[in-house]
Amino acid sequence: RSLKLQAAIPAKRSWAAFAFAATENAPLTGALTFDGAAQSLSQLFLSPQERLRGKVAADLALSGSPANPVLSGDITLSEATYENLTTGTTLKKMEVVVVAQGNNLEIETLKARTNGSGRINGSGQLSIDPTLNFPLDLRFELRKARLIEREDATIAFDGTVGLAGDLAKLLLEGKLETTTAELRLIDDLPPSVVTIDVIEKNLPDSEKPRRPSSSTSPIEVVLKISLSMPGRVFLRGKDVDTEWQGQFDVTGTVDKPAIIGTLNPVRGYVALLGKRFDLQQGSISLDGAAEIDPLLDLTAVHRKTDLTAIVQVKGRLSDPDISLISSPPLPEDEVISRVLFDKSANALTPAETV
């Protein structure tokens, strides 16, 4: 590992105020060279939930003046792997080349692969201009890019994404389409495991748990994303196997997103009352409210020789209205009896009525 940094900044000294001020038009010189592992630098820029491995080589020269700095040289990242422990994202075989020209940093090469044969390519530039608040423009192209890969979800995308603006306000926009998405219903803990809440008293201040910060991001990131889900969106679990399709538009900001759109069932079933109910029609909708609480309108059907049992789920996910009806129309207890035991409620034994 080798890191070298040197710089000469012309400045005026004031003994009265014991202060230094950069001379705007005087010559500016400096250089930065680095050749080593990406891990040693990633700790400065990434969160504890992110990992970056690979090789970094940098050879930059600084000239011009404080009022008009000029950069030259390049930065390369090679043989790199990025991991996000929260989303499960893994980017492999990363290659990045950034070339400095004048007051611009241009991304000449940005490519990576994901699990599942996915690919990401990117380009863009950042202007080292504090008077314009460091404007930037980045573009990414995704092809079957598996960006979410967790125990409960695996989602891959096609599409394009752009990030443009400056360090005060950015616009994140794009058109994405899911190539495959699988959501899995997983029990939090095995039935034999009991969750026990533990409260520790008299802890030193340094060991007390910190409350999550309620502050928003210092950079406003505006969203304008169109997400198409043409099919192959699966929701699966112990008693569920369904496929969905839909469309969502995401606006607002990263701190306060507004999501509008609908999912509709393609096929599938859920197990209710120990019996299979086929998902027939309906929707799961989001209306852009600050609190995400989907609106449900779903119908599932179980058919027997002389009866069709119909479960309807309507209303908000937080407080759904679930009803059981039938064709021909029968009282709910009669429907349950025929679905579970293949006989009328009047014919049930005492044990079956429990």
Side-chain angles (χ1 to χ4, degrees), residues 158-206:
D158 276 352
T160 57
V161 177
L163 182 66
D166 56 43
L167 296 189
K169 185 175 183 179
L170 294 169
L171 172 63
L172 179 62
E173 63 177 336
K175 292 184 178 181
L176 297 174
E177 179 178 298
T178 56
T179 56
T180 183
E182 183 163 344
L183 310 178
R184 294 173 285 272
L185 301 176
I186 298 174
D187 294 334
D188 292 334
L189 294 172
S192 59
V193 178
V194 178
T195 302
I196 300 177
D197 294 327
V198 177
I199 300 175
E200 297 186 58
K201 296 183 177 181
N202 302 319
L203 284 174
D205 290 341
S206 60

mmCIF file of all heavy atoms in Angstrom, residues 158-206:
data_model
loop_
_atom_site.group_PDB
_atom_site.id
_atom_site.type_symbol
_atom_site.label_atom_id
_atom_site.label_comp_id
_atom_site.label_asym_id
_atom_site.label_seq_id
_atom_site.Cartn_x
_atom_site.Cartn_y
_atom_site.Cartn_z
ATOM 1 N N ASP A 158 -34.224 -4.629 -15.481
ATOM 2 C CA ASP A 158 -33.741 -4.019 -16.715
ATOM 3 C C ASP A 158 -34.071 -2.537 -16.635
ATOM 4 O O ASP A 158 -35.017 -2.143 -15.948
ATOM 5 C CB ASP A 158 -34.450 -4.592 -17.941
ATOM 6 C CG ASP A 158 -33.825 -5.897 -18.424
ATOM 7 O OD1 ASP A 158 -32.754 -6.281 -17.912
ATOM 8 O OD2 ASP A 158 -34.435 -6.545 -19.297
ATOM 9 N N GLY A 159 -33.311 -1.711 -17.377
ATOM 10 C CA GLY A 159 -33.706 -0.315 -17.462
ATOM 11 C C GLY A 159 -32.547 0.643 -17.378
ATOM 12 O O GLY A 159 -31.365 0.266 -17.447
ATOM 13 N N THR A 160 -32.886 1.920 -17.249
ATOM 14 C CA THR A 160 -31.897 2.986 -17.140
ATOM 15 C C THR A 160 -32.221 3.870 -15.938
ATOM 16 O O THR A 160 -33.385 4.080 -15.601
ATOM 17 C CB THR A 160 -31.886 3.864 -18.411
ATOM 18 O OG1 THR A 160 -33.202 4.394 -18.631
ATOM 19 C CG2 THR A 160 -31.468 3.050 -19.626
ATOM 20 N N VAL A 161 -31.180 4.371 -15.298
ATOM 21 C CA VAL A 161 -31.318 5.245 -14.136
ATOM 22 C C VAL A 161 -30.335 6.397 -14.276
ATOM 23 O O VAL A 161 -29.183 6.194 -14.698
ATOM 24 C CB VAL A 161 -31.043 4.482 -12.826
ATOM 25 C CG1 VAL A 161 -31.126 5.426 -11.625
ATOM 26 C CG2 VAL A 161 -32.018 3.337 -12.644
ATOM 27 N N GLY A 162 -30.784 7.593 -13.940
ATOM 28 C CA GLY A 162 -29.918 8.762 -13.976
ATOM 29 C C GLY A 162 -29.944 9.523 -12.667
ATOM 30 O O GLY A 162 -30.971 9.561 -11.982
ATOM 31 N N LEU A 163 -28.816 10.113 -12.318
ATOM 32 C CA LEU A 163 -28.713 10.952 -11.121
ATOM 33 C C LEU A 163 -28.041 12.250 -11.548
ATOM 34 O O LEU A 163 -26.875 12.246 -11.968
ATOM 35 C CB LEU A 163 -27.900 10.253 -10.035
ATOM 36 C CG LEU A 163 -27.749 11.006 -8.703
ATOM 37 C CD1 LEU A 163 -29.093 11.143 -8.008
ATOM 38 C CD2 LEU A 163 -26.751 10.296 -7.787
ATOM 39 N N ALA A 164 -28.769 13.366 -11.465
ATOM 40 C CA ALA A 164 -28.244 14.642 -11.949
ATOM 41 C C ALA A 164 -28.642 15.765 -11.003
ATOM 42 O O ALA A 164 -29.654 15.690 -10.304
ATOM 43 C CB ALA A 164 -28.765 14.935 -13.362
ATOM 44 N N GLY A 165 -27.816 16.813 -11.005
ATOM 45 C CA GLY A 165 -28.074 17.958 -10.143
ATOM 46 C C GLY A 165 -26.790 18.450 -9.516
ATOM 47 O O GLY A 165 -25.726 18.439 -10.154
ATOM 48 N N ASP A 166 -26.876 18.871 -8.259
ATOM 49 C CA ASP A 166 -25.687 19.296 -7.528
ATOM 50 C C ASP A 166 -25.799 18.812 -6.090
ATOM 51 O O ASP A 166 -26.740 18.092 -5.746
ATOM 52 C CB ASP A 166 -25.502 20.815 -7.604
ATOM 53 C CG ASP A 166 -26.733 21.577 -7.108
ATOM 54 O OD1 ASP A 166 -27.296 21.177 -6.067
ATOM 55 O OD2 ASP A 166 -27.132 22.561 -7.751
ATOM 56 N N LEU A 167 -24.864 19.186 -5.262
ATOM 57 C CA LEU A 167 -24.828 18.663 -3.900
ATOM 58 C C LEU A 167 -25.856 19.303 -2.978
ATOM 59 O O LEU A 167 -25.870 19.016 -1.777
ATOM 60 C CB LEU A 167 -23.429 18.815 -3.316
ATOM 61 C CG LEU A 167 -22.335 18.011 -4.034
ATOM 62 C CD1 LEU A 167 -21.045 18.050 -3.241
ATOM 63 C CD2 LEU A 167 -22.785 16.566 -4.271
ATOM 64 N N ALA A 168 -26.731 20.159 -3.529
ATOM 65 C CA ALA A 168 -27.863 20.676 -2.756
ATOM 66 C C ALA A 168 -29.144 19.954 -3.133
ATOM 67 O O ALA A 168 -29.980 19.663 -2.275
ATOM 68 C CB ALA A 168 -28.030 22.179 -2.976
ATOM 69 N N LYS A 169 -29.303 19.631 -4.422
ATOM 70 C CA LYS A 169 -30.525 18.982 -4.876
ATOM 71 C C LYS A 169 -30.211 18.080 -6.067
ATOM 72 O O LYS A 169 -29.613 18.519 -7.049
ATOM 73 C CB LYS A 169 -31.572 20.035 -5.271
ATOM 74 C CG LYS A 169 -32.925 19.449 -5.657
ATOM 75 C CD LYS A 169 -33.930 20.560 -5.911
ATOM 76 C CE LYS A 169 -35.308 20.013 -6.238
ATOM 77 N NZ LYS A 169 -36.308 21.091 -6.465
ATOM 78 N N LEU A 170 -30.646 16.837 -5.982
ATOM 79 C CA LEU A 170 -30.415 15.855 -7.035
ATOM 80 C C LEU A 170 -31.738 15.288 -7.519
ATOM 81 O O LEU A 170 -32.702 15.192 -6.753
ATOM 82 C CB LEU A 170 -29.531 14.715 -6.527
ATOM 83 C CG LEU A 170 -28.092 15.070 -6.151
ATOM 84 C CD1 LEU A 170 -27.436 13.903 -5.420
ATOM 85 C CD2 LEU A 170 -27.281 15.455 -7.382
ATOM 86 N N LEU A 171 -31.769 14.899 -8.792
ATOM 87 C CA LEU A 171 -32.927 14.223 -9.366
ATOM 88 C C LEU A 171 -32.525 12.797 -9.709
ATOM 89 O O LEU A 171 -31.610 12.574 -10.513
ATOM 90 C CB LEU A 171 -33.411 14.943 -10.623
ATOM 91 C CG LEU A 171 -34.511 14.217 -11.427
ATOM 92 C CD1 LEU A 171 -35.777 14.081 -10.603
ATOM 93 C CD2 LEU A 171 -34.788 14.954 -12.740
ATOM 94 N N LEU A 172 -33.203 11.832 -9.087
ATOM 95 C CA LEU A 172 -32.998 10.420 -9.387
ATOM 96 C C LEU A 172 -34.185 9.973 -10.235
ATOM 97 O O LEU A 172 -35.309 9.898 -9.748
ATOM 98 C CB LEU A 172 -32.920 9.599 -8.099
ATOM 99 C CG LEU A 172 -32.740 8.082 -8.262
ATOM 100 C CD1 LEU A 172 -31.432 7.767 -8.962
ATOM 101 C CD2 LEU A 172 -32.806 7.390 -6.905
ATOM 102 N N GLU A 173 -33.925 9.712 -11.510
ATOM 103 C CA GLU A 173 -35.014 9.343 -12.404
ATOM 104 C C GLU A 173 -34.631 8.102 -13.196
ATOM 105 O O GLU A 173 -33.446 7.801 -13.406
ATOM 106 C CB GLU A 173 -35.356 10.489 -13.349
ATOM 107 C CG GLU A 173 -34.240 10.877 -14.300
ATOM 108 C CD GLU A 173 -34.664 11.970 -15.259
ATOM 109 O OE1 GLU A 173 -35.870 12.108 -15.495
ATOM 110 O OE2 GLU A 173 -33.776 12.699 -15.762
ATOM 111 N N GLY A 174 -35.654 7.378 -13.642
ATOM 112 C CA GLY A 174 -35.364 6.202 -14.436
ATOM 113 C C GLY A 174 -36.615 5.435 -14.802
ATOM 114 O O GLY A 174 -37.709 5.684 -14.287
ATOM 115 N N LYS A 175 -36.425 4.528 -15.735
ATOM 116 C CA LYS A 175 -37.469 3.594 -16.140
ATOM 117 C C LYS A 175 -36.927 2.186 -15.929
ATOM 118 O O LYS A 175 -35.948 1.801 -16.551
ATOM 119 C CB LYS A 175 -37.853 3.821 -17.604
ATOM 120 C CG LYS A 175 -38.554 5.141 -17.857
ATOM 121 C CD LYS A 175 -39.005 5.260 -19.316
ATOM 122 C CE LYS A 175 -39.761 6.566 -19.542
ATOM 123 N NZ LYS A 175 -40.231 6.695 -20.955
ATOM 124 N N LEU A 176 -37.588 1.467 -15.033
ATOM 125 C CA LEU A 176 -37.137 0.133 -14.667
ATOM 126 C C LEU A 176 -38.229 -0.891 -14.942
ATOM 127 O O LEU A 176 -39.417 -0.588 -14.884
ATOM 128 C CB LEU A 176 -36.748 0.086 -13.189
ATOM 129 C CG LEU A 176 -35.581 0.975 -12.749
ATOM 130 C CD1 LEU A 176 -35.412 0.916 -11.238
ATOM 131 C CD2 LEU A 176 -34.299 0.562 -13.444
ATOM 132 N N GLU A 177 -37.787 -2.095 -15.229
ATOM 133 C CA GLU A 177 -38.710 -3.210 -15.432
ATOM 134 C C GLU A 177 -38.138 -4.429 -14.735
ATOM 135 O O GLU A 177 -36.955 -4.753 -14.903
ATOM 136 C CB GLU A 177 -38.887 -3.486 -16.923
ATOM 137 C CG GLU A 177 -39.819 -4.647 -17.241
ATOM 138 C CD GLU A 177 -40.000 -4.858 -18.720
ATOM 139 O OE1 GLU A 177 -40.515 -3.939 -19.390
ATOM 140 O OE2 GLU A 177 -39.625 -5.953 -19.217
ATOM 141 N N THR A 178 -38.946 -5.081 -13.939
ATOM 142 C CA THR A 178 -38.480 -6.282 -13.263
ATOM 143 C C THR A 178 -38.428 -7.435 -14.262
ATOM 144 O O THR A 178 -39.382 -7.685 -14.988
ATOM 145 C CB THR A 178 -39.395 -6.667 -12.087
ATOM 146 O OG1 THR A 178 -40.738 -6.823 -12.562
ATOM 147 C CG2 THR A 178 -39.372 -5.605 -11.000
ATOM 148 N N THR A 179 -37.278 -8.098 -14.318
ATOM 149 C CA THR A 179 -37.168 -9.293 -15.155
ATOM 150 C C THR A 179 -37.604 -10.518 -14.377
ATOM 151 O O THR A 179 -38.128 -11.467 -14.950
ATOM 152 C CB THR A 179 -35.735 -9.469 -15.659
ATOM 153 O OG1 THR A 179 -34.828 -9.510 -14.535
ATOM 154 C CG2 THR A 179 -35.343 -8.298 -16.557
ATOM 155 N N THR A 180 -37.378 -10.501 -13.094
ATOM 156 C CA THR A 180 -37.907 -11.531 -12.207
ATOM 157 C C THR A 180 -37.918 -10.975 -10.790
ATOM 158 O O THR A 180 -37.062 -10.169 -10.418
ATOM 159 C CB THR A 180 -37.071 -12.821 -12.256
ATOM 160 O OG1 THR A 180 -37.669 -13.823 -11.432
ATOM 161 C CG2 THR A 180 -35.661 -12.578 -11.754
ATOM 162 N N ALA A 181 -38.915 -11.362 -10.039
ATOM 163 C CA ALA A 181 -39.020 -10.918 -8.652
ATOM 164 C C ALA A 181 -39.691 -12.022 -7.849
ATOM 165 O O ALA A 181 -40.759 -12.510 -8.221
ATOM 166 C CB ALA A 181 -39.825 -9.626 -8.545
ATOM 167 N N GLU A 182 -39.050 -12.418 -6.775
ATOM 168 C CA GLU A 182 -39.625 -13.443 -5.907
ATOM 169 C C GLU A 182 -39.601 -12.947 -4.473
ATOM 170 O O GLU A 182 -38.540 -12.641 -3.918
ATOM 171 C CB GLU A 182 -38.858 -14.763 -6.015
ATOM 172 C CG GLU A 182 -39.473 -15.863 -5.178
ATOM 173 C CD GLU A 182 -38.998 -17.256 -5.566
ATOM 174 O OE1 GLU A 182 -38.432 -17.404 -6.648
ATOM 175 O OE2 GLU A 182 -39.210 -18.182 -4.763
ATOM 176 N N LEU A 183 -40.800 -12.855 -3.894
ATOM 177 C CA LEU A 183 -40.962 -12.446 -2.504
ATOM 178 C C LEU A 183 -41.352 -13.672 -1.704
ATOM 179 O O LEU A 183 -42.266 -14.412 -2.085
ATOM 180 C CB LEU A 183 -42.029 -11.358 -2.382
ATOM 181 C CG LEU A 183 -41.870 -10.177 -3.339
ATOM 182 C CD1 LEU A 183 -43.015 -9.196 -3.162
ATOM 183 C CD2 LEU A 183 -40.545 -9.476 -3.131
ATOM 184 N N ARG A 184 -40.661 -13.893 -0.591
ATOM 185 C CA ARG A 184 -40.878 -15.098 0.188
ATOM 186 C C ARG A 184 -41.404 -14.766 1.579
ATOM 187 O O ARG A 184 -40.831 -13.903 2.262
ATOM 188 C CB ARG A 184 -39.574 -15.898 0.284
ATOM 189 C CG ARG A 184 -39.115 -16.449 -1.070
ATOM 190 C CD ARG A 184 -37.743 -17.082 -0.982
ATOM 191 N NE ARG A 184 -36.687 -16.081 -0.897
ATOM 192 C CZ ARG A 184 -36.099 -15.529 -1.941
ATOM 193 N NH1 ARG A 184 -36.479 -15.849 -3.160
ATOM 194 N NH2 ARG A 184 -35.130 -14.648 -1.785
ATOM 195 N N LEU A 185 -42.489 -15.435 1.971
ATOM 196 C CA LEU A 185 -43.042 -15.273 3.314
ATOM 197 C C LEU A 185 -42.302 -16.223 4.233
ATOM 198 O O LEU A 185 -42.413 -17.445 4.122
ATOM 199 C CB LEU A 185 -44.544 -15.576 3.314
ATOM 200 C CG LEU A 185 -45.392 -14.708 2.383
ATOM 201 C CD1 LEU A 185 -46.839 -15.164 2.409
ATOM 202 C CD2 LEU A 185 -45.291 -13.235 2.784
ATOM 203 N N ILE A 186 -41.531 -15.639 5.163
ATOM 204 C CA ILE A 186 -40.666 -16.441 6.025
ATOM 205 C C ILE A 186 -41.027 -16.161 7.474
ATOM 206 O O ILE A 186 -41.147 -14.995 7.886
ATOM 207 C CB ILE A 186 -39.186 -16.108 5.782
ATOM 208 C CG1 ILE A 186 -38.834 -16.442 4.322
ATOM 209 C CG2 ILE A 186 -38.282 -16.862 6.737
ATOM 210 C CD1 ILE A 186 -37.452 -16.013 3.930
ATOM 211 N N ASP A 187 -41.194 -17.218 8.253
ATOM 212 C CA ASP A 187 -41.445 -17.054 9.685
ATOM 213 C C ASP A 187 -40.213 -16.445 10.325
ATOM 214 O O ASP A 187 -39.075 -16.800 10.017
ATOM 215 C CB ASP A 187 -41.749 -18.399 10.350
ATOM 216 C CG ASP A 187 -43.056 -18.994 9.846
ATOM 217 O OD1 ASP A 187 -43.921 -18.199 9.415
ATOM 218 O OD2 ASP A 187 -43.208 -20.231 9.879
ATOM 219 N N ASP A 188 -40.457 -15.506 11.261
ATOM 220 C CA ASP A 188 -39.341 -14.855 11.942
ATOM 221 C C ASP A 188 -38.515 -15.838 12.756
ATOM 222 O O ASP A 188 -37.297 -15.815 12.751
ATOM 223 C CB ASP A 188 -39.851 -13.741 12.868
ATOM 224 C CG ASP A 188 -40.438 -12.582 12.075
ATOM 225 O OD1 ASP A 188 -40.021 -12.410 10.916
ATOM 226 O OD2 ASP A 188 -41.309 -11.889 12.614
ATOM 227 N N LEU A 189 -39.199 -16.721 13.494
ATOM 228 C CA LEU A 189 -38.524 -17.679 14.355
ATOM 229 C C LEU A 189 -39.244 -19.012 14.304
ATOM 230 O O LEU A 189 -40.453 -19.061 14.083
ATOM 231 C CB LEU A 189 -38.509 -17.183 15.817
ATOM 232 C CG LEU A 189 -37.684 -15.918 16.115
ATOM 233 C CD1 LEU A 189 -37.954 -15.473 17.550
ATOM 234 C CD2 LEU A 189 -36.202 -16.185 15.922
ATOM 235 N N PRO A 190 -38.526 -20.123 14.509
ATOM 236 C CA PRO A 190 -39.194 -21.412 14.592
ATOM 237 C C PRO A 190 -40.186 -21.425 15.743
ATOM 238 O O PRO A 190 -40.032 -20.682 16.717
ATOM 239 C CB PRO A 190 -38.034 -22.399 14.851
ATOM 240 C CG PRO A 190 -36.806 -21.681 14.387
ATOM 241 C CD PRO A 190 -37.075 -20.223 14.627
ATOM 242 N N PRO A 191 -41.252 -22.270 15.672
ATOM 243 C CA PRO A 191 -42.274 -22.289 16.714
ATOM 244 C C PRO A 191 -41.721 -22.571 18.098
ATOM 245 O O PRO A 191 -42.283 -22.146 19.095
ATOM 246 C CB PRO A 191 -43.209 -23.418 16.248
ATOM 247 C CG PRO A 191 -42.991 -23.515 14.778
ATOM 248 C CD PRO A 191 -41.561 -23.173 14.556
ATOM 249 N N SER A 192 -40.587 -23.291 18.176
ATOM 250 C CA SER A 192 -40.071 -23.675 19.486
ATOM 251 C C SER A 192 -39.271 -22.563 20.149
ATOM 252 O O SER A 192 -38.869 -22.670 21.301
ATOM 253 C CB SER A 192 -39.166 -24.911 19.342
ATOM 254 O OG SER A 192 -38.091 -24.639 18.463
ATOM 255 N N VAL A 193 -39.006 -21.486 19.423
ATOM 256 C CA VAL A 193 -38.195 -20.398 19.964
ATOM 257 C C VAL A 193 -39.105 -19.326 20.539
ATOM 258 O O VAL A 193 -40.039 -18.880 19.889
ATOM 259 C CB VAL A 193 -37.287 -19.793 18.876
ATOM 260 C CG1 VAL A 193 -36.492 -18.623 19.449
ATOM 261 C CG2 VAL A 193 -36.360 -20.861 18.331
ATOM 262 N N VAL A 194 -38.828 -18.916 21.750
ATOM 263 C CA VAL A 194 -39.617 -17.890 22.419
ATOM 264 C C VAL A 194 -38.821 -16.594 22.442
ATOM 265 O O VAL A 194 -37.650 -16.568 22.806
ATOM 266 C CB VAL A 194 -39.962 -18.315 23.866
ATOM 267 C CG1 VAL A 194 -40.739 -17.205 24.561
ATOM 268 C CG2 VAL A 194 -40.756 -19.605 23.853
ATOM 269 N N THR A 195 -39.440 -15.504 22.040
ATOM 270 C CA THR A 195 -38.800 -14.200 22.064
ATOM 271 C C THR A 195 -38.980 -13.566 23.434
ATOM 272 O O THR A 195 -40.103 -13.475 23.939
ATOM 273 C CB THR A 195 -39.399 -13.276 20.991
ATOM 274 O OG1 THR A 195 -39.243 -13.894 19.715
ATOM 275 C CG2 THR A 195 -38.705 -11.929 20.992
ATOM 276 N N ILE A 196 -37.892 -13.142 24.056
ATOM 277 C CA ILE A 196 -37.927 -12.531 25.376
ATOM 278 C C ILE A 196 -37.363 -11.125 25.268
ATOM 279 O O ILE A 196 -36.239 -10.923 24.803
ATOM 280 C CB ILE A 196 -37.098 -13.345 26.398
ATOM 281 C CG1 ILE A 196 -37.661 -14.771 26.506
ATOM 282 C CG2 ILE A 196 -37.093 -12.665 27.755
ATOM 283 C CD1 ILE A 196 -36.861 -15.660 27.429
ATOM 284 N N ASP A 197 -38.154 -10.136 25.667
ATOM 285 C CA ASP A 197 -37.685 -8.754 25.680
ATOM 286 C C ASP A 197 -36.798 -8.536 26.898
ATOM 287 O O ASP A 197 -37.165 -8.870 28.028
ATOM 288 C CB ASP A 197 -38.863 -7.782 25.722
ATOM 289 C CG ASP A 197 -39.692 -7.857 24.449
ATOM 290 O OD1 ASP A 197 -39.089 -8.109 23.391
ATOM 291 O OD2 ASP A 197 -40.918 -7.670 24.531
ATOM 292 N N VAL A 198 -35.614 -7.981 26.681
ATOM 293 C CA VAL A 198 -34.663 -7.749 27.762
ATOM 294 C C VAL A 198 -34.424 -6.258 27.889
ATOM 295 O O VAL A 198 -34.133 -5.578 26.899
ATOM 296 C CB VAL A 198 -33.322 -8.472 27.485
ATOM 297 C CG1 VAL A 198 -32.323 -8.152 28.597
ATOM 298 C CG2 VAL A 198 -33.547 -9.968 27.379
ATOM 299 N N ILE A 199 -34.561 -5.735 29.098
ATOM 300 C CA ILE A 199 -34.300 -4.330 29.372
ATOM 301 C C ILE A 199 -33.152 -4.248 30.372
ATOM 302 O O ILE A 199 -33.261 -4.743 31.498
ATOM 303 C CB ILE A 199 -35.544 -3.624 29.941
ATOM 304 C CG1 ILE A 199 -36.701 -3.695 28.932
ATOM 305 C CG2 ILE A 199 -35.217 -2.174 30.287
ATOM 306 C CD1 ILE A 199 -37.993 -3.122 29.459
ATOM 307 N N GLU A 200 -32.035 -3.659 29.954
ATOM 308 C CA GLU A 200 -30.880 -3.535 30.840
ATOM 309 C C GLU A 200 -30.913 -2.182 31.532
ATOM 310 O O GLU A 200 -31.124 -1.144 30.895
ATOM 311 C CB GLU A 200 -29.591 -3.678 30.029
ATOM 312 C CG GLU A 200 -29.459 -5.065 29.373
ATOM 313 C CD GLU A 200 -28.110 -5.234 28.702
ATOM 314 O OE1 GLU A 200 -27.084 -5.102 29.425
ATOM 315 O OE2 GLU A 200 -28.073 -5.478 27.502
ATOM 316 N N LYS A 201 -30.696 -2.205 32.855
ATOM 317 C CA LYS A 201 -30.743 -0.988 33.652
ATOM 318 C C LYS A 201 -29.338 -0.573 34.085
ATOM 319 O O LYS A 201 -28.426 -1.383 34.170
ATOM 320 C CB LYS A 201 -31.624 -1.186 34.886
ATOM 321 C CG LYS A 201 -33.093 -1.467 34.548
ATOM 322 C CD LYS A 201 -33.928 -1.579 35.815
ATOM 323 C CE LYS A 201 -35.406 -1.782 35.480
ATOM 324 N NZ LYS A 201 -36.237 -1.874 36.695
ATOM 325 N N ASN A 202 -29.206 0.719 34.349
ATOM 326 C CA ASN A 202 -27.968 1.291 34.884
ATOM 327 C C ASN A 202 -26.771 1.091 33.953
ATOM 328 O O ASN A 202 -25.644 0.883 34.399
ATOM 329 C CB ASN A 202 -27.661 0.690 36.267
ATOM 330 C CG ASN A 202 -28.786 0.926 37.256
ATOM 331 O OD1 ASN A 202 -29.374 2.010 37.293
ATOM 332 N ND2 ASN A 202 -29.081 -0.084 38.063
ATOM 333 N N LEU A 203 -27.025 1.125 32.636
ATOM 334 C CA LEU A 203 -25.924 1.041 31.684
ATOM 335 C C LEU A 203 -25.179 2.366 31.641
ATOM 336 O O LEU A 203 -25.781 3.432 31.785
ATOM 337 C CB LEU A 203 -26.435 0.706 30.286
ATOM 338 C CG LEU A 203 -26.842 -0.746 30.026
ATOM 339 C CD1 LEU A 203 -27.455 -0.840 28.631
ATOM 340 C CD2 LEU A 203 -25.653 -1.683 30.142
ATOM 341 N N PRO A 204 -23.843 2.335 31.430
ATOM 342 C CA PRO A 204 -23.126 3.600 31.201
ATOM 343 C C PRO A 204 -23.673 4.293 29.963
ATOM 344 O O PRO A 204 -24.179 3.641 29.046
ATOM 345 C CB PRO A 204 -21.675 3.132 30.984
ATOM 346 C CG PRO A 204 -21.605 1.755 31.561
ATOM 347 C CD PRO A 204 -22.969 1.164 31.412
ATOM 348 N N ASP A 205 -23.563 5.619 29.925
ATOM 349 C CA ASP A 205 -24.095 6.378 28.789
ATOM 350 C C ASP A 205 -23.532 5.895 27.472
ATOM 351 O O ASP A 205 -24.214 5.880 26.442
ATOM 352 C CB ASP A 205 -23.795 7.869 28.964
ATOM 353 C CG ASP A 205 -24.614 8.469 30.096
ATOM 354 O OD1 ASP A 205 -25.629 7.846 30.481
ATOM 355 O OD2 ASP A 205 -24.223 9.546 30.595
ATOM 356 N N SER A 206 -22.245 5.474 27.474
ATOM 357 C CA SER A 206 -21.600 5.046 26.236
ATOM 358 C C SER A 206 -22.189 3.757 25.691
ATOM 359 O O SER A 206 -22.016 3.434 24.518
ATOM 360 C CB SER A 206 -20.093 4.865 26.450
ATOM 361 O OG SER A 206 -19.864 3.880 27.459
#
